[in-house]
Each structure stands twice: as structure tokens, then as C-alpha cells.
Amino acid sequence: MIQAVHYQTTPRVQDLRRQVLAAEHAKHRTMVPADWSVADSDATLPERAGLALMKLFTEMPVAIEPGELIVGTRSMLVPGEEGNPWTVGGSPVPEFHNQRDDDEGRTARRECTHNVPGFAKVITHGYGGLIAKCEARLAGEADVEKQNFLKGFILACQSVGVLINRYAALATELAESETDADRDADLRTIAEVCSHIATEPPRNFHEAAQLHWFIFLTTWIEQGVLVTGGRFDQHTAAYWPTDPAEQLRAKEIVDCYVIKCNDLTDIWTPTSMINNLIILGGYAPDGTDATNDISWAFLDSVGRLNLPDPQPAVRLNKLSDPAFVEFTCRLMRDGLSQICVFNDDTFVPALVAAGFPVEDAR
């Protein structure tokens, strides 16, 4: 296992860290329009929910900052209270309820935070694959309520694809006027990455990390805050390169991902609320220790960059590498107070006792 503790922060990442701390990306933010709604659309409630996302992801500003490798920002926010121009927790999704919707319909579609989105499903199948599975299910579904839900889900997946393709188009546009050869290559890579993952599963670590970020970002945009990034090191493990030279680039991409988690940190200042939780380490479903090179790289990135977000939730157990345990403790000792630690050997048996299958509990 490669321990990432000796990796040096690249000049690119140093500049991206400076940019995010200076909130240079804030210039792209805008407030939602006063008439921001699809409530009058002639569609069912689930379909209108999908149409609302389509409207948002079609119209919200997109921007790529200088030097970025991982792209995507929350650029549309809702007005806040007096003295605070933005409401960080508010969702900018257009209104999609109307007077025809009963209370049960409103409650059933209400967003819920404190959850883990289905990263693994999207990364495994891609948005196009999920749409295809949904269309196949829809073709044989007789229940009208389920039909409406499936139609809304298809629209939601398509809307994220629209947003990702907008970033692909922007990267291509920026490349056309870029005079620096290295940055031109970066932008064309971003365009290729986004064009592919708009519908397809990732083929490499860059695509896996970028798709993971879009899943995280779009769920975060829809629901507000307090949505976890889940087990990043497990979701992207299959794509970690074996070539040491390629691993250097992959570690830089991890740094870029960590910086992206601070997209709204400036709005929380001076009372930053850490909300982007990322789970590292822990048991695998088969009972082995799941800590891998990405666990090391991500935790090392958090330590080197020293930013408010994300909040690593480090899962430890009796099989954990003692060096990984020590590294976690050193970071906490040195002041990274946002790190939290969970004991697999305590909570896994507790979940099993509560009725969860052991593989799910792990």
C-alpha cells in the first residue's frame, strides 16, 4: 500500500487553494428569479420535480476556474435574511408544487438531508445506464403512480446529463482561445471527461472522481446542505492507477476534489458549518479492511490543504493498518479537528443486532 504522506502539493493546487479561500468563484453566483417555477406545467408531480431540475441545470451559470481539473459549482442560490445575501441551506430548485397537489403528495416529495446518495449505482451504470434500466422497467409497469415516478426519475437523470454536457461545451470553448499549451490540454481533457460521463460509466480515475463530484454537487444543490459524499475511497477504488507516474496525477485530482468541497465555505464564514462528510476506511462487506491507497491520498490531502471542508469520517477496526491509525491521530493532534473517528467493531455489531444483514452493516 502506498502511503501518501510524502506527496508534495503542486503549484496548480496551491493556486486553486488560494482561489477558493479568496472566493474568486463567487463572481459567478446569482439569485434565483422571483418567478422561478414549473408548477403550472401540465405534468404529474414527479414529472414536474424532474422538469424543475431540468430547468435549473439548463439555466444556472456554469464556470471553470483557472487551473481546475475537477469542475462544477453551485452558482445559483436563494436570497437570505437581512444582512446575509444568501441562504446556504436553501434549495434553488424551481417550485414544482401547485394547488392540485394534496398534502400527501407534498410530503412524499419533500427533500431529506442527512443521507448518502447512491454513488455506487451511478458510477457502475452511468446516468445513461440508469435511464435505460428505468425505461425498461417503465415499459412493463402497469401501476400509474409508479409510471409517474419512473418518468420523473428519467427526467432527473437527463437533467444532470445536460449540466455535465454544458461543462464539456464550456471547456471546449475555453480551449479554443487558450494560448497556454498545458492548459489547452487540460481543458480538452475536461471536455472529454465530461462528454463521456454525461451518460456513461467512468473509464479512469479522473472520470470517476469527476462523476462522483457531479453526483455529490447535484444532490447538494437540490437538497441544500448536510448530504454526505459517502465512501469515496470505495466508490472510486477500481479506477486508481497502478502506474506510480499516473498516481501522482491521481493524487492531484484528489486535491482538486477536496478543494471543490469548499465551494460555499466563504458563505459560512465566520461560523463555518462543516457539512461535506466523506467516509474513509472501514470494513468491506466481506469483513476485510477496506482501507486503500485512495483512503491515504484523501486523508493526506485534507491534512496538507488544511481547509474547512470536507469532514473525513475515518472508520477504524481491529484490522486497520496501525500506520493509518497513527496518521489519523497525528492529523487530529496537529489541529484538524473536523476529523471524526468511528469504531467499526462497535457499530457494525450494533447494526446487526438491529436487524441489518452483516454485509450491509459493514
Side-chain angles (χ1 to χ4, degrees), residues 7-285:
Y7 174 69
Q8 297 298 311
T9 308
T10 65
R12 176 205 304 276
V13 171
Q14 292 172 2
D15 192 52
L16 288 173
R17 182 181 185 277
R18 179 198 60 77
Q19 289 180 47
V20 76
L21 288 175
E24 294 182 3
H25 60 289
K27 61 181 176 288
H28 304 296
R29 293 178 185 144
T30 184
M31 290 187 184
V32 298
D35 57 347
W36 196 232
S37 175
V38 296
D40 293 333
S41 299
D42 185 19
T44 65
L45 179 61
E47 289 175 295
R48 274 182 272 128
L51 290 172
L53 289 178
M54 183 66 76
K55 182 177 180 64
L56 173 63
F57 294 150
T58 300
E59 300 181 18
M60 65 180 278
V62 295
I64 297 175
E65 297 300 311
E68 282 192 324
L69 294 177
I70 298 294
V71 301
T73 185
R74 181 178 174 179
S75 59
M76 187 172 279
L77 303 180
V78 296
E81 300 174 353
E82 185 176 357
N84 178 14
W86 309 107
T87 297
V88 180
S91 172
V93 175
E95 177 59 52
F96 52 86
H97 297 109
N98 59 39
Q99 294 181 351
R100 301 191 302 272
D101 302 323
D102 57 24
D103 290 338
E104 181 179 356
R106 289 173 179 267
T107 302
R109 182 52 183 80
R110 185 171 297 153
E111 291 84 5
C112 179
T113 57
H114 297 275
N115 65 63
V116 184
F119 291 97
K121 286 186 177 180
V122 183
I123 290 175
T124 299
H125 300 288
Y127 282 110
L130 291 179
I131 291 171
K133 288 168 68 69
C134 204
E135 288 174 337
R137 172 82 177 271
L138 181 60
E141 183 56 67
D143 187 298
V144 174
E145 185 176 356
K146 291 181 180 179
Q147 289 177 359
N148 293 337
F149 175 83
L150 292 168
K151 291 175 183 178
F153 180 81
I154 290 171
L155 281 168
C157 289
Q158 290 172 335
S159 71
V160 182
V162 166
L163 178 65
I164 298 173
N165 273 321
R166 291 181 66 201
Y167 274 97
L170 177 59
T172 299
E173 178 185 343
L174 293 173
E176 292 300 323
S177 59
E178 180 58 59
T179 57
D180 181 84
D182 289 339
R183 186 55 183 163
D184 175 80
D186 285 344
L187 290 166
R188 295 188 186 280
T189 296
I190 291 169
E192 180 183 358
V193 165
C194 290
S195 294
H196 181 79
I197 65 170
T199 56
E200 303 302 317
R203 300 166 296 186
N204 54 51
F205 183 74
H206 191 166
E207 291 181 351
Q210 180 65 79
L211 180 56
H212 196 282
W213 173 248
F214 273 123
I215 302 165
F216 197 6
L217 174 68
T218 53
T219 308
W220 181 27
I221 288 172
E222 181 186 19
Q223 300 189 359
V225 294
L226 302 172
V227 180
T228 176
R231 303 185 76 178
F232 179 89
D233 57 355
Q234 306 307 304
H235 301 143
T236 60
Y239 305 96
W240 188 252
T242 57
D243 186 330
E246 293 181 11
Q247 288 176 355
L248 292 176
R249 177 72 163 189
K251 290 172 184 177
E252 187 177 46
I253 289 170
V254 170
D255 282 355
C256 292
Y257 187 103
V258 168
I259 288 171
K260 270 298 180 185
C261 289
N262 291 269
D263 188 61
L264 293 182
T265 296
D266 60 293
I267 297 180
W268 291 107
T269 303
T271 56
S272 178
M273 178 179 178
I274 307 301
N275 56 79
N276 297 317
L277 185 134
I278 300 287
I279 304 166
L280 302 174
Y283 279 127

